Amino acid sequence: MQPTVTRRVPTTVRLKQWHLYHKKRLASGAPSPWRPAAILDEWVQREARPISLRQLTFFGRTLTENRLLSSANYVRTELPTRLAHRLRDMQTLPYVVVTNPHMSHVYELYYKAFETLRKVREIKTVDDNDRYCKIITETLQEHLTVIPKLAMGIIECQSLMKPQETDKFMNTLLRSRISRRVIAEQHLALTETFHAPWHFPDAKLYQDPSAEFIGDVFLKCNAKEVIEECSQRAKSLAREAFGSARVLPEVNLEGHLNATFPYILSHLQYIIGELLRNSIEAVVERCGHLPGNPAPIEVLICEAPHHVIIRISDQGGGIPKDILPNLWSFGKGPRSHIHLENLERVPRMAATMQELKLSTTSTNGTAQDANDGRRPVDGSLSSLTYRPPNLRLGMGLPMSRVYAEYWAGNLELHSLEGYGVDAFLTISKLGNKNEQLSTRASMDAI
């Protein structure tokens, strides 16, 4: 059997293929999804401007009309710029990959959003801002299908690209997607605050020192509290899956239990929730049928001058050998066909990767989900991941690492086969690290 050879087609050749495809569709009378490149070229020349958590909170401290409008115009220029780079990334993929129905669906959504957002003029009044927020909200809702579509497209096209190239592409798109959601949802939160009955724009500038949130940024995120909350929800989900009679492992916490840091709460909830969920399921599946209580899951919180490190250790038997090499891959692995089937059962996902609970999805496709009294945004992960354990999507760990690295953190796993797993999550403590972006379209090598 001859080995498969992947040939790299120059970008100029790919663009010619796009124009040929465009002409064929026009000749057939079908509407063309591909547009002239001149306008996109102009936006691709622009650099995205990364922002830190500390800078995100700046607009919200002593919120005034001028600061609200400054935030609006920052978002107004950033969203189409970041979309333009990702559109160009997609255009430089192999032709057969981009014409995959799932990938084409994502491209269409991105280009529609780009065309809409780039035409928004400078925001000069609060009324202008309110109209812009409506556009943002509608766009965020439309893009709920992007994550499952991307994942299905990558799995279906895994034989057409090298695994490292597909993962690089997926990481780039998801990181950029997170960045757009962060700045968009932060601005929506600030706008909501500005219009709140208790907010007086003309009053003397004052910031409540006890305030915990500025927009979507949690100023005093406590690792212990988040772990306890995620632990309870993961256990509740496990009881639904394995039955209330099944004994679940305890989650023991130790270390610096008072450590706090600024963070976007939904990001941390997702990462911790996925790690604890994996550990609980592994321990139950390995030890649940044995007499006595299963071995506890040990969580250590370590606070350093610039970082907070969280270690989650379980005795769930470790990661199987056939899965370990592709642990961080979105499309490669021995169970990718199962992941593809499961993704088809999850038609929509909130952009911060909250799977919508299938059994409680309303008729209009939105999740009926409590938000613990916080601002109800579609990107919130306050309800964690609702999918049952048998609905494995193959995205939990790769997505968790994307979230960890987004704010200059890190996620590592060490597996001891036959014993268990140690997961190490590193979080930047000071909030002064810029979001980690792939600012320019850099996929020409694919």
Side-chain angles (χ1 to χ4, degrees):
M1 182 176 179
Q2 295 294 325
T4 301
V5 178
T6 302
R7 296 182 179 179
R8 290 183 177 179
V9 182
T11 303
T12 53
V13 175
R14 290 184 196 143
L15 291 177
K16 288 180 181 178
Q17 290 175 330
W18 281 64
H19 293 312
L20 179 61
Y21 178 74
H22 174 79
K23 290 180 180 178
K24 287 181 178 179
R25 288 185 65 89
L26 285 179
S28 67
S32 174
W34 318 125
R35 287 84 173 177
I39 296 175
L40 187 64
D41 287 342
E42 176 187 342
W43 283 87
V44 170
Q45 294 302 315
R46 305 186 184 190
E47 290 278 4
R49 295 175 292 167
I51 197 168
S52 68
L53 282 168
R54 188 176 294 177
Q55 290 170 321
L56 269 181
T57 63
F58 168 78
F59 295 114
R61 293 183 187 275
T62 59
L63 183 61
T64 64
E65 181 175 328
N66 285 337
R67 287 195 174 183
L68 182 68
L69 298 182
S70 294
S71 171
N73 283 300
Y74 169 76
V75 176
R76 178 182 63 87
T77 56
E78 282 298 297
L79 290 182
T81 299
R82 299 183 185 196
L83 277 169
H85 287 287
R86 304 294 72 84
L87 283 167
R88 180 52 47 85
D89 286 346
M90 297 189 75
Q91 288 181 350
T92 53
L93 289 172
Y95 172 73
V96 69
V97 173
V98 188
T99 54
N100 173 278
H102 303 302
M103 303 297 284
S104 180
H105 172 85
V106 174
Y107 184 90
E108 280 299 294
L109 285 178
Y110 276 19
Y111 219 116
K112 178 184 177 182
F114 169 72
E115 285 292 318
T116 300
L117 295 170
R118 75 175 180 84
K119 295 176 182 178
V120 177
R121 297 186 177 184
E122 182 181 359
I123 298 168
K124 298 181 179 180
T125 67
V126 173
D127 288 340
D128 290 344
N129 176 70
D130 291 344
R131 286 189 289 271
Y132 181 56
C133 287
K134 183 178 179 180
I135 293 173
I136 293 176
T137 302
E138 291 173 352
T139 301
L140 296 181
Q141 284 291 326
E142 288 178 351
H143 285 211
L144 288 175
T145 60
V146 166
I147 289 178
K149 289 290 186 181
L150 268 178
M152 287 189 285
I154 287 295
I155 292 174
E156 291 181 352
C157 296
Q158 60 179 310
S159 63
L160 305 174
M161 294 172 62
K162 294 180 179 179
Q164 61 269 30
E165 293 172 345
T166 58
D167 288 332
K168 177 182 178 183
F169 170 75
M170 194 72 167
N171 272 278
T172 300
L173 252 67
L174 289 176
R175 191 173 296 185
S176 177
R177 180 178 174 78
I178 293 169
S179 77
R180 298 192 303 273
R181 281 300 285 229
V182 164
I183 61 175
E185 289 189 343
Q186 178 71 358
H187 181 66
L188 291 175
L190 295 180
T191 299
E192 184 175 298
T193 298
F194 186 82
H195 289 303
W198 46 264
H199 181 261
F200 302 97
D202 298 326
K204 182 180 178 181
L205 298 183
Y206 172 74
Q207 180 196 356
D208 183 359
S210 64
E212 293 187 338
F213 281 89
I214 294 183
D216 276 353
V217 180
F218 193 11
L219 301 178
K220 300 175 182 178
C221 190
N222 183 282
K224 172 181 175 291
E225 293 177 358
V226 173
I227 292 167
E228 288 176 339
E229 179 183 1
C230 292
S231 171
Q232 292 303 314
R233 296 188 178 185
K235 286 183 178 180
S236 176
L237 190 63
R239 289 189 187 97
E240 291 180 16
F242 299 111
S244 57
R246 185 68 64 92
V247 180
L248 302 178
E250 293 296 324
V251 177
N252 299 332
L253 277 77
E254 60 179 334
H256 300 120
L257 303 183
N258 295 320
T260 61
F261 46 89
Y263 215 72
I264 293 182
L265 184 59
S266 60
H267 291 190
L268 186 61
Q269 286 177 327
Y270 177 74
I271 300 169
I272 297 295
E274 282 294 327
L275 295 176
L276 286 176
R277 175 192 172 111
N278 289 343
S279 291
I280 291 173
E281 290 177 12
V283 171
V284 170
E285 290 172 358
R286 185 191 187 207
C287 308
H289 62 283
L290 300 176
N293 294 329
I297 296 169
E298 304 289 347
V299 180
L300 173 66
I301 302 171
C302 176
E303 183 178 18
H306 300 286
H307 298 89
V308 171
I309 302 169
I310 301 172
R311 184 189 70 191
I312 299 177
S313 303
D314 67 58
Q315 297 181 37
I319 300 170
K321 273 188 175 181
D322 63 330
I323 296 178
L324 194 57
N326 303 299
L327 190 64
W328 305 108
S329 177
F330 285 95
K332 189 73 173 176
R335 302 178 184 176
S336 57
H337 64 287
I338 298 175
H339 299 156
L340 182 60
E341 293 174 359
N342 289 339
L343 281 163
E344 292 174 350
R345 295 171 56 192
V346 188
R348 309 178 82 201
M349 291 183 191
T352 45
M353 190 55 196
Q354 175 189 4
E355 288 88 341
L356 303 181
K357 189 174 183 180
L358 301 180
S359 61
T360 58
T361 301
S362 65
T363 55
N364 63 1
T366 57
Q368 303 301 304
D369 151 60
N371 54 31
D372 298 334
R374 303 186 184 100
R375 190 180 66 88
V377 293
D378 293 311
S380 172
L381 286 177
S382 59
S383 63
L384 284 180
T385 302
Y386 272 129
R387 70 185 188 276
N390 63 344
L391 192 64
R392 300 182 186 274
L393 305 179
M395 299 181 67
L397 286 176
M399 280 293 297
S400 295
R401 189 159 74 169
V402 171
Y403 278 111
E405 293 177 347
Y406 179 70
W407 293 116
N410 190 30
L411 176 61
E412 295 181 357
L413 260 66
H414 299 282
S415 175
L416 297 175
E417 187 178 6
Y419 186 80
V421 172
D422 285 340
F424 293 86
L425 172 63
T426 303
I427 298 168
S428 178
K429 176 184 171 182
L430 304 179
N432 60 347
K433 299 292 185 181
N434 281 347
E435 50 184 342
Q436 303 298 298
L437 298 178
S438 299
T439 53
R440 283 204 171 278
S442 58
M443 305 297 291
D444 288 352
I446 292 182

